[in-house]
Amino acid sequence: MPISVESRPRLRGVVGPLRAIVRGALAVVKRRPGEIAVLLADDATLRKLNQRWRGIDRATDVLSFPSNQRPGPSIDGDLAISLERMAEQARRYRVSRGRELARLAVHGALHLAGHDHHAPAERAEMRRYEQKALRAVAPAIRALDRALGRA
């Protein structure tokens, strides 16, 4: 099943690595992608989505919209990632933009798979999965770094 990526503005070289990162994140929790759309957009777009779907009138870094609740290993849904938040957080956390984009994609994919971080135990589990996934997709992160270095 496809993982599609749309970027506003258009970024070259990110589609393949992002697909690998979403697959890798889901593999960590023994799931696989069904139909997943990834939107890379600006803060204004994420703010509109956040307001419409969560009733929160502010931009955020990543939103996840699962679209199937059927049992089984396959996950369908949408991810929206703010490129502005990604760049700002990369500076704040002192990581590359590729690393931060990968972290947001992993985080969003784990949400699609049903994981959350409201309770302390959930938060700890989510962090463990994030770290494991980020280690597993290191080559894709390097590819994102190369692509975003051209952006």
Side-chain angles (χ1 to χ4, degrees), residues 19 51 63 68 80 120 149:
R19 286 179 177 154
Q51 171 63 40
L63 291 168
N68 70 337

Side-chain angles (χ1 to χ4, degrees), residues 6-28:
E6 180 182 339
S7 179
R8 301 177 201 156
R10 185 176 156 97
L11 297 175
R12 293 178 18 176
V14 301
V15 174
L18 280 174
R19 286 179 177 154
I21 288 163
V22 170
R23 276 190 204 97
L26 293 176
V28 164

Side-chain angles (χ1 to χ4, degrees), residues 31-108:
R31 306 295 292 271
R32 67 174 185 260
E35 292 189 29
I36 296 177
V38 179
L39 171 65
L40 304 176
D42 59 10
D43 277 353
T45 300
L46 272 280
R47 182 178 183 161
K48 287 176 191 171
L49 290 169
N50 208 15
Q51 171 63 40
R52 179 174 181 188
W53 296 105
R54 299 179 65 220
I56 300 172
D57 188 20
R58 65 176 164 80
T60 189
D61 54 3
V62 61
L63 291 168
S64 300
F65 302 100
S67 61
N68 70 337
Q69 301 300 322
R70 68 177 183 251
S74 183
I75 299 291
D76 298 331
D78 301 322
L79 297 177
I81 298 172
S82 168
L83 293 172
E84 290 174 270
R85 294 294 92 227
M86 176 273 296
E88 189 278 320
Q89 288 172 185
R91 281 189 298 276
R92 182 181 338 140
Y93 302 143
R94 298 174 190 222
V95 298
S96 69
R97 292 186 306 155
R99 173 94 179 165
E100 183 61 9
L101 181 53
R103 187 189 69 79
L104 294 173
V106 164
H107 188 86

